[in-house]
Amino acid sequence: MLELAGVSKSFGGLAVIRDLDLHVDDREILSVIGPNGAGKTTLFNLVTGVVAPDAGAIRLDGQDLAGRPAHEIAQAGISRTFQSIRLFLNMTVLENVMAATYAHTGARMWQSVLRTPAARREEAAVRAQAAEHLAFFGTRLQGYRWDQPAYSLSYANRRRLEIARAMATRPRVLLLDEPAAGMNPAETHEITELIARLRDEVGHTIAVIEHDMHVVEGISDRVVALDHGVKIAEGSFDEVAADTRVVEAYLGLRTAERK
Ligand SMILES: Nc1ncnc2c1ncn2[C@@H]1O[C@H](COP(=O)(O)OP(=O)(O)O)[C@@H](O)[C@H]1O
Ligand SMILES: [Mg+2]
């Protein structure tokens, strides 16, 4: 569904992604692992049009998106969450999800200001959709929480709300950048199950960047390991986890951190 071929990106002479080939298949969960600075977030930035590749093709269902502006890529069906959470903190939980839907459908917000009957119908539809997306998170983001400002949410709930916003655009491919970062073990377990449900119940195609190897083991159909922008291993979790280059990339990092 999503395919990268020969993608490269440098920042000021530093090669961050090098000649990368990668694909994500329909209804698959692909995990992208690698030490800090390996280029994982840059990979997502390339796919979502935050930065343009220096070379290579990025195709969604065969349509080349490389270098296209971010809003066009979002429109084409790629949605993401961020390593550092990005929410409208002063808007309510429900409004955050509604805003994502409006941004995607290009619904004319000024109409809702005029309160025309058409705008009211549309707003009701968007509200119902947002409620449906939030219902996926069960009691975590339900009921009274809908009308609370996002700033009142716990950290884990902010991460959940980010996922709800990404779902709201009904993407072809969902990119999750470290969804379990900063979560405690119970929350991490819960987010692992949630990501699996996104595939199994909603039918999402997902690429996820994750550091926690328990999460990676729990959800991955396939794993790709990056180091210094190069794909050093690809395969099942067991294959990649046992790969000498992967072990060395992580051990090398730990050794460097100890110094
Ligand atoms: N916009 C940018 N400008 C300059 N350097 C960047 C930019 N984005 C990322 N980098 C650099 O690219 C490298 C990879 O970063 P990143 O993709 O965030 O790694 P990861 O997500 O794997 O930890 C780092 O050295 C980082 O400093
Ligand atoms: Mg990152």
Side-chain angles (χ1 to χ4, degrees):
M1 179 169 294
L2 177 67
E3 187 186 17
L4 279 71
V7 171
S8 296
K9 179 69 187 177
S10 299
F11 291 112
L14 175 73
V16 174
I17 294 290
R18 307 184 210 202
D19 196 21
L20 183 67
D21 296 334
L22 189 127
H23 63 98
V24 190
D25 298 330
D26 192 16
R27 294 191 177 217
E28 172 182 53
I29 297 178
L30 173 77
S31 292
V32 179
I33 65 166
N36 276 330
K40 305 179 299 295
T41 295
T42 301
L43 166 66
F44 278 14
N45 287 342
L46 287 164
V47 171
T48 54
V50 174
V51 295
D54 299 330
I58 301 172
R59 285 184 285 263
L60 180 68
D61 293 321
Q63 182 191 9
D64 195 357
L65 299 176
R68 298 256 296 272
H71 69 271
E72 276 183 38
I73 293 177
Q75 206 71 42
I78 298 179
S79 178
R80 77 180 292 181
T81 64
F82 291 88
Q83 191 171 346
S84 49
I85 301 172
R86 296 186 188 183
L87 296 169
F88 298 109
L89 289 175
N90 288 314
M91 281 164 58
T92 69
V93 167
L94 194 66
E95 284 166 353
N96 263 278
V97 182
M98 288 176 70
T101 311
Y102 274 120
H104 183 67
T105 57
R108 283 170 294 184
M109 285 274 223
W110 60 265
Q111 279 194 340
S112 28
V113 178
L114 297 181
R115 307 299 301 170
T116 62
R120 265 181 237 180
R121 274 196 302 278
E122 181 170 44
E123 188 183 322
V126 168
R127 185 177 290 273
Q129 274 179 42
E132 200 181 301
H133 290 301
L134 286 169
F136 182 76
F137 297 81
T139 54
R140 292 299 187 186
L141 289 179
Q142 220 164 8
Y144 71 98
R145 287 212 171 89
W146 288 1
D147 299 318
Q148 291 185 340
Y151 68 71
S152 72
L153 294 179
S154 70
Y155 176 80
N157 267 339
R158 290 183 189 192
R159 286 229 167 261
R160 293 183 186 105
L161 181 54
E162 263 235 323
I163 296 176
R165 279 174 50 79
M167 291 169 76
T169 66
R170 302 192 184 277
R172 304 275 291 140
V173 179
L174 191 54
L175 309 177
L176 307 175
D177 196 345
E178 301 199 24
M183 289 192 173
N184 68 35
E187 290 162 348
T188 300
H189 179 75
E190 202 179 309
I191 200 89
T192 306
E193 289 186 334
L194 187 109
I195 294 167
R197 284 177 54 221
L198 286 172
R199 174 195 55 198
D200 300 338
E201 292 175 23
V202 192
H204 274 309
T205 298
I206 299 167
V208 56
I209 295 171
E210 189 46 61
H211 275 298
D212 188 317
M213 285 303 140
H214 294 297
V215 175
V216 175
E217 183 172 21
I219 54 175
S220 309
D221 294 307
R222 212 152 44 80
V223 179
V224 162
L226 293 184
D227 190 25
H228 300 294
V230 177
K231 184 164 75 182
I232 54 169
E234 179 170 17
S236 69
F237 174 82
D238 291 338
E239 285 164 354
V240 171
D243 189 283
T244 335
R245 293 179 70 185
V246 175
V247 174
E248 277 169 6
Y250 278 96
L251 283 179
L253 181 80
R254 291 205 195 103
T255 315
E257 276 173 352
R258 269 203 301 270
K259 281 176 190 163

